[in-house]
Amino acid sequence: MKTPPRGSKRVEQESELPKVTTPVALRAAREKKHCSKARAVRVRPEYPLTRTTHEMKLMPPEFFQIDALDLAPRLLGKFLRRDNVVLRITEVEAYRPNDSACHGRFGNTPRTASIFGPGGHAYVYLCYGLHMMLNIVADKDGVGAAVLIRSCSPVTGLETIQERRGQTIDKPLLLNGPGKVGQALGLSTEWSHHPLYSPGGLEVLDGGEDVEKVLVGPRVGIDYAFPQHVNALWRFAIGDTPWISAPKNTLKPL
């Protein structure tokens, strides 16, 4: 959750699950219907994908309602889906209560309210007036913790990703940074509070594959925080993928 100093401007699962009918999800459905002619393109996965994206199951609410430091590595290898775009999560950072790098330190305000909600919802904020940063809220209602999605690899919807990113590449540079992930998914701050465990809009899916090699290191871009938080090894990445962000030399095997 890359945050500048205080004062800166940046500061088909089972059918019984309810359909999302929030304004942002409804708008997303309209976008999907009238969106670009870009078809879903499958990039050859760098891991053994044993299920189609339609067979992947939504993660339940209780999966998210744990300490952010426990949730972060468990999100590696999970999938984000919006419309025809599916991304595999390859790098994350944990932000906890009483963490001088966490937005929760500002208290429960209109801007940070979603991070104080129950785990499993999205918290999207604008960084430096440029980048939409996707965080997955962790822990119980009122705690104020989240996991930042730093990098992903593409699974489907490559043309849509490239169009949104304004890039024609299919290399890690396409998605190796949190702002790039937010742009590839077409997110805005209006996605905050969106339930990621309900079908429709933006979803977190379980692909059924375990991540065996995990790297850890200090988080990126939080030099303003207290030393103990700057040095905390709360950044996690998949160890056998090139789809992670810089710096890579601070990441070590778990």
Side-chain angles (χ1 to χ4, degrees):
M1 197 177 302
K2 189 174 179 182
T3 313
R6 184 189 292 271
S8 167
K9 284 188 175 180
R10 194 241 62 72
V11 196
E12 257 161 359
Q13 196 190 19
E14 279 80 337
S15 59
E16 65 265 16
L17 287 174
K19 294 291 184 180
V20 174
T21 57
T22 58
V24 68
L26 292 173
R27 182 166 58 257
R30 290 196 296 270
E31 288 175 2
K32 180 178 179 181
K33 182 177 180 181
H34 301 292
C35 99
S36 74
K37 298 179 180 178
R39 68 182 185 278
V41 176
R42 189 174 189 89
V43 178
R44 185 176 65 182
E46 44 184 357
Y47 57 92
L49 187 65
T50 58
R51 302 182 185 182
T52 68
T53 56
H54 294 293
E55 294 174 322
M56 295 176 183
K57 301 297 183 182
L58 285 162
M59 301 308 299
E62 55 269 21
F63 170 80
F64 306 97
Q65 294 174 7
I66 58 177
D67 190 302
L69 194 56
D70 295 321
L71 176 62
R74 297 183 190 187
L75 284 169
L76 295 176
K78 298 297 185 287
F79 297 85
L80 293 166
R81 179 169 64 189
R82 185 192 168 202
D83 50 60
N84 69 320
V85 171
V86 176
L87 306 180
R88 186 189 189 216
I89 299 172
T90 56
E91 182 185 357
V92 297
E93 290 178 345
Y95 290 83
R96 308 175 77 196
N98 303 314
D99 175 359
S100 58
C102 180
H103 286 188
R105 72 187 188 278
F106 298 124
N108 192 336
T109 69
R111 181 174 177 275
T112 64
S114 57
I115 200 174
F116 285 94
H121 290 74
Y123 169 46
V124 183
Y125 67 89
L126 182 64
C127 181
Y128 299 122
L130 297 172
H131 308 297
M132 291 295 171
M133 314 286 265
L134 172 61
N135 298 263
I136 296 177
V137 178
D139 224 313
K140 307 300 182 184
D141 190 20
V143 170
V147 176
L148 172 68
I149 307 302
R150 280 202 62 84
S151 298
C152 292
S153 61
V155 178
T156 66
L158 180 61
E159 291 184 5
T160 300
I161 295 168
Q162 292 170 330
E163 181 180 322
R164 287 172 175 167
R165 291 275 296 111
Q167 302 279 342
T168 58
I169 59 174
D170 59 359
K171 305 298 183 184
L173 189 63
L174 187 66
L175 290 167
N176 64 346
K180 297 176 182 181
V181 172
Q183 189 176 29
L185 291 168
L187 300 181
S188 70
T189 56
E190 293 182 358
W191 284 91
S192 286
H193 300 283
H194 182 81
L196 302 169
Y197 48 78
S198 295
L202 181 63
E203 306 163 334
V204 175
L205 307 170
D206 185 4
E209 300 293 342
D210 293 330
V211 173
E212 296 182 357
K213 298 179 180 179
V214 176
L215 304 177
V216 297
R219 295 171 294 180
V220 180
I222 59 165
D223 293 343
Y224 55 86
F226 295 149
Q228 66 268 31
H229 297 142
V230 171
N231 298 322
L233 304 182
W234 293 354
R235 177 187 177 199
F236 302 86
I238 296 178
D240 54 0
T241 177
W243 294 81
I244 57 177
S245 66
K248 297 182 180 181
N249 61 358
T250 61
L251 292 167
K252 308 297 178 185
L254 180 63

